[in-house]
Amino acid sequence: MSSTGVIFRREFAAYFNSPIAYIFIIVFLILNCGLFMTPFFLAGAADMREFFNNLPLFLIFFIPAVSMRLWAEDKRSGTFELLMTLPMKSSQVMLGKYLAAMTFYVIALLGTLPILIMLLILGNPDVGAIVSGYLGALLLGGLYMSVGIFTSGLLRDQITAFILGMLACFLLFLLGMPFVSGTIDGWVSGLGTFLQNAFGLMPHYQSLQRGVLELGDLAYFLALTGVFLVLNTLWLEGRKY
């Protein structure tokens, strides 16, 4: 088994060694399904736009709660130094942890599929837009998770890592909001628009949510996720010496 696979199995099993993982998934499903079902019965439209609309804000709290332990727990328990002395590349250790956290998130996301099944039974939803929405949810979670694992590596305390990760994700969310870019443009002409296009996630996420697949949106999520994962790997390399 590859080094990444060993770390993946260790981290993934750690999620389910305590009731916290099950509580996270149950809370994730209750809140998301509850927030979706209330306006669904009022609007009577067979689509999942409300569900995908809620995710960017909801995941700001959920993803950092999942990722906060990835490095902070190893530092607290003293296993971080052991990990760094193992004959593995830093990128393999980081990738194993990241994939384990992402698998946990995907399991929680798959728990929402009964909504899609219900819509297929009750009406004729735009399946293409829903699939694109789930792709956006996956890419959004991947980006937030890369931010979370990076901030977890900077700190020893899980709560502090959670707060820092949440603030960093919220900043990416805010930079994509028109009222924020408009306000910044009022201070420095063009700066808000530049920050919105370069770092704001909402314009890219909303395109996927509408069922529009554009290379630029996919590149935004993959590139920014890659940046935070590379930063995390560089930070690990710095801890070895």
Side-chain angles (χ1 to χ4, degrees), residues 99-114:
L99 291 177
M102 279 302 294
T103 303
F104 179 80
Y105 167 60
V106 170
I107 289 173
L109 201 58
L110 288 175
T112 64
L113 286 180

Side-chain angles (χ1 to χ4, degrees), residues 144-175:
Y144 281 175
M145 198 69 78
S146 69
V147 174
I149 193 173
F150 173 67
T151 57
S152 176
L154 300 176
L155 301 159
R156 182 181 295 273
D157 180 65
Q158 292 192 31
I159 301 302
T160 312
F162 166 73
I163 294 172
L164 184 60
M166 189 178 63
L167 291 175
C169 293
F170 190 53
L171 178 62
L172 291 174
F173 173 80
L174 277 182
L175 288 176

Side-chain angles (χ1 to χ4, degrees), residues 14-228:
Y15 277 113
F16 293 95
N17 284 339
S18 73
I20 294 176
Y22 303 99
I23 294 172
F24 275 176
I25 291 176
I26 291 171
V27 170
F28 177 86
L29 294 177
I30 289 177
L31 290 180
N32 274 295
C33 294
L35 289 172
F36 167 76
M37 293 307 292
T38 302
F40 168 75
F41 285 117
L42 294 175
D47 62 52
M48 293 183 69
R49 278 180 296 182
E50 283 301 321
F51 171 77
F52 294 120
N53 274 337
N54 295 329
L55 272 186
L57 263 179
F58 184 79
L59 292 183
I60 286 175
F61 301 95
F62 180 77
I63 295 291
V66 172
S67 64
M68 65 182 183
R69 57 168 297 279
L70 288 172
W71 291 117
E73 176 63 19
D74 283 321
K75 289 181 178 178
R76 187 195 62 79
S77 62
T79 55
F80 177 77
E81 289 75 12
L82 175 63
L83 275 176
M84 291 299 96
T85 58
L86 293 175
M88 300 177 182
K89 294 180 181 177
S90 299
S91 57
Q92 293 174 322
V93 179
M94 180 278 300
L95 197 58
K97 284 177 172 283
Y98 177 76
L99 291 177
M102 279 302 294
T103 303
F104 179 80
Y105 167 60
V106 170
I107 289 173
L109 201 58
L110 288 175
T112 64
L113 286 180
I115 295 177
L116 174 59
I117 296 172
M118 179 191 73
L119 294 180
L120 289 171
I121 294 173
L122 295 178
N124 296 302
D126 184 347
V127 177
I130 293 175
V131 171
S132 179
Y134 270 110
L135 175 62
L138 183 64
L139 292 171
L140 176 68
L143 174 56
Y144 281 175
M145 198 69 78
S146 69
V147 174
I149 193 173
F150 173 67
T151 57
S152 176
L154 300 176
L155 301 159
R156 182 181 295 273
D157 180 65
Q158 292 192 31
I159 301 302
T160 312
F162 166 73
I163 294 172
L164 184 60
M166 189 178 63
L167 291 175
C169 293
F170 190 53
L171 178 62
L172 291 174
F173 173 80
L174 277 182
L175 288 176
M177 302 302 287
F179 76 93
V180 174
S181 61
T183 302
I184 297 175
D185 277 340
W187 298 335
V188 180
S189 179
L191 179 60
T193 304
F194 167 76
L195 292 174
Q196 183 184 32
N197 293 332
F199 301 107
L201 65 85
M202 285 308 290
H204 304 285
Y205 176 75
Q206 286 170 338
S207 293
L208 291 167
Q209 189 184 345
R210 291 193 299 268
V212 180
L213 281 177
E214 292 189 358
L215 188 59
D217 299 322
L218 300 177
Y220 164 82
F221 281 106
L222 296 177
L224 209 53
T225 299
V227 166
F228 281 105

